[in-house]
Amino acid sequence: MMRLRGPGQCTANTRKPNLKNIVVSRPVRTGAVACRAMLPVGVPISVLTDSYKATHFLQYPKAQKMVAYGEFRQGFNKDKTDTRLVSYGMRYLVETYISRQWTMEDVEMADAFYRTHMAPNHTAFPFPRALFEKFVRENNGFFPVKLETLPEGTCAHVRVPVYQITAVGEYAPLCTFLETILTMIWYPTSVATLSRRARDVVEASFARTSDGGVGSPLVQSKLHDFGFRGCTGVEQSIIGGCAHLLSFTGSDTMSAAFYAQFKLNGGRPVAMSIPATEHSVMTAWPTEAAAMNNMIDHFGTGIYACVMDSYDYAKALSEVLPSVSVHKLSKGGYLVLRPDSGDPTEAVLMALAAAEKVFGTTRNGKGFKVIPGCGVIQGDGIDLPTMEKIALAIEAAGYAADNVSYGMGGGLLQKVNRDTMSFATKLNHIIYEDGRAADIMKQPQTDTGKFSLPGVLAVKRVDGVPTVFPADSGEVAPHENLLRVVYDCGPLAGVWEDFDTVRARVAAEWTALPKTSDNISASLKEKVRQQMALRGKVPALAH
Amino acid sequence: MMRLRGPGQCTANTRKPNLKNIVVSRPVRTGAVACRAMLPVGVPISVLTDSYKATHFLQYPKAQKMVAYGEFRQGFNKDKTDTRLVSYGMRYLVETYISRQWTMEDVEMADAFYRTHMAPNHTAFPFPRALFEKFVRENNGFFPVKLETLPEGTCAHVRVPVYQITAVGEYAPLCTFLETILTMIWYPTSVATLSRRARDVVEASFARTSDGGVGSPLVQSKLHDFGFRGCTGVEQSIIGGCAHLLSFTGSDTMSAAFYAQFKLNGGRPVAMSIPATEHSVMTAWPTEAAAMNNMIDHFGTGIYACVMDSYDYAKALSEVLPSVSVHKLSKGGYLVLRPDSGDPTEAVLMALAAAEKVFGTTRNGKGFKVIPGCGVIQGDGIDLPTMEKIALAIEAAGYAADNVSYGMGGGLLQKVNRDTMSFATKLNHIIYEDGRAADIMKQPQTDTGKFSLPGVLAVKRVDGVPTVFPADSGEVAPHENLLRVVYDCGPLAGVWEDFDTVRARVAAEWTALPKTSDNISASLKEKVRQQMALRGKVPALAH
């Protein structure tokens, strides 16, 4: 049974005799960024959780240790035929929030806030002031928990824990204080998964219709991120935009492109874009032809795009496009036509037909038409099903995938939510004050999809598939455990990889996984069965 | 015709002889926060736009002046029967991003980024480096535009411009550079509108079933913000959480509660919450009764909530609740039962029936039952239609609205997007290099809902309804114009009001507005007709 250290020591990273399978690391503060006081957003770190979590320290039974974990419980948009996910985004949360050093000022600001946050009939809103002060004084202000996560970009199936958090000793009741922030991993993981699934659509259409097949260098730019303005703020654009860049290079979300390049990749470029018009540009000129001719003057030797629906899309294709074609051809570059309203599939087919009429086509080795020097990007109304519909429609019309790109905006960065893949954090293990250990399992009768996994967890590849084991079963050696410690009562050095490495992991692991798997080990299933039998039969603990 | 100043002067705030209806303010830098270099998020201000916008300075015709505006084009979720909106959130965008002083370091970082952001066949990604350097040198780094917006919390109908932006002289091509950031106003406005509509649902049920009616002090706490963890990041939680607090006081999103109180309201409290359990708390104890008894020990004299579905919701209501009732009653407080799975309406009715069985009911003056000392909060699966369904179901079962609260999480803060109310920014006016002025109007045949309004705009109340006029029609005196200058080539002093004032505005204006209105003035309609006739007939401008 674990022994508590003397008061004042953060013990989450000390010896844990009964938990063989957790990788234990020492906190290395050298080189860690010491961020103090108010967060950039103007709010102290001490209130970055749901109100009720501030009250939980009084609500848990007295304990020596508590462990919780987070998992996705369903495939993207409830897809049961493909339950893969791209686990991504923990680095941002750890570096920005979890690793931040608290100060006494944070505690005082929390106090000023909580004193006035109470509902009627409460004299003050409770919060664990003494514990906050303790780790500010005794642990350099670092939050006293241990956090394990999957390596960034790991591909796995749902139900694999994407993080596990441990708090011990006096700090045990703080185990779930960070849950609100950690739960935000739902977002980058959902976008990364959506974007990678979109790449599946692109690759499939290239395999069928393009000479280059799935290996074509065009594939990586075929889904372009149009989502910056559809985000709720800049922070979201960075998090979601980076998640997209794991599977594609095309992005207009420069916040993310900059962040991925300079913050995550040592300055090596990650994203690219092209000069392109918007309606303001097209309508600022007396005619659309004037706007297009100006584009050709400036960018005609490269790749450039023009939006075509400012007034009359059909007329722009049938009259404006031919009127600039000689000028366009004289420069030799690549013109991308952008519809922006109407039925997406129809709009793409109209543009292809118009471009073919003006510039002709060549036929590729697979018998599909390729328009020289001109293509289409559909950036309105794009989601996964619409991408698939368009890909099939252009194929049926005889065009190769090379001719069409997609722009996804709100569909990529905003039209996802925590229910998209059903993310939740749950307590899975507790060691009570008297030393008795208990595995914890939520098992609501009213929604069996919401059950949680009992006991401390470890993840090991079985035939390549990340599979969930009880950490105490002896089946997962520390070096095999995909849950790696990334924070241990303080930031750790050397736990994060550059963006190129993470990208390469996604590329390698996604296609290597079967679309679904039975990824709960037999030993964990047995533990679930025991828990189900156990419920209600535990002797009452005095409170 | 407007005259350009000599090079190097920011002229957006100088005399504009032809534009009588724009309020002209002087920039006051005293007291303005000078934020330098990297943004908190770690990305320079110089890349906070869509990639293509960096290229637009080369794409516009040469101009002395350009004006653009942003508007919502549809009611919430396409509702045609109620097209009201609560305009909110510009203060955050202006204070956080628009007012930020650029530095040469920002320009250099932009340069390093743009040099590597190009697609194949471009030698470098173009961006307006010379213009950036110019306003860094000559305008203290403040972005050289004038921005007008509706006062925070203004209630209006769709199609009313929520902002208008003007750039003049050499800076004219930068008019739409900030569009990406400004467009993010879609988010707080959508949440504020959703939350206010939810208050309509609550008020209607109170009017029908509660002694207090719409004036009951309970109304303001009946929709509680559960959305923090369902946000994509902390910034979103602050922006969206504050928008909700315009219409309610209940929130567990402490980031927003803190921000609204200390950043926007001089320290005066804005939001409240209560101690409440989560599954981790309930399952950490050997029995749910033990968890509830502990809650009663700590919080039994006040208001407190317990989640009831950890194992078997029906059994928790029929067995656990009665088992703690004597203890609960001995403290005299108010227990809130929280279902968290299953059908929301069914779950609420089950809890009410169980609570009635244990605690009884009294009958109020309207003949509806009120359970003493116990109620229900439904926080799973809540959106506007579900709230309405539950409100009607409890009424049909004879219960007063007093008994039930709602918690909305992802439904409140995340399940909205830019299409929810169809937000867009468009160019509306240009003065070309040669002095000729043109009103601009996008009018796509393929989607008539996407047309924009031509010419510089002003907004004036007509019979209380904010109505859109041409700014040059002489119909709107400067003091009548609801579009107020909040930034003019630099931050302005005294343009923002405290949160209490904004809240009071929403409360006063929302119910005073008809649900729909014809809010385009006759003179603007005439201008639209002229534009439609004009299209294609403007003489070509040499490019």
Side-chain angles (χ1 to χ4, degrees), chain A residues 33 82 85 143 163 229 243 282 284 307 331-332 347 443 492 533:
Chain A
V33 180
D82 184 351
L85 57 81
F143 204 86
Y163 76 81
R229 73 187 61 186
M282 302 302 285
V307 67
K331 297 284 190 162
Q443 36 185 315
L492 304 177

Side-chain angles (χ1 to χ4, degrees), chain A residues 278 280, chain B residues 53 56-57 60 65-69 131 143-147 163-168 170-180 182 425-429:
Chain A
E278 61 173 8
S280 294
Chain B
K53 293 207 158 281
H56 288 166
F57 75 107
Y60 286 120
K65 176 174 182 171
M66 288 174 61
V67 186
Y69 80 103
L131 291 176
F143 204 85
V145 290
K146 181 176 73 173
L147 179 66
Y163 76 83
Q164 188 163 245
I165 187 164
T166 305
V168 302
E170 290 176 76
Y171 296 126
L174 295 184
C175 179
T176 56
F177 188 86
L178 300 178
E179 176 185 338
T180 305
L182 289 169
T425 294
K426 297 297 162 200
L427 197 72
N428 54 343
H429 187 72

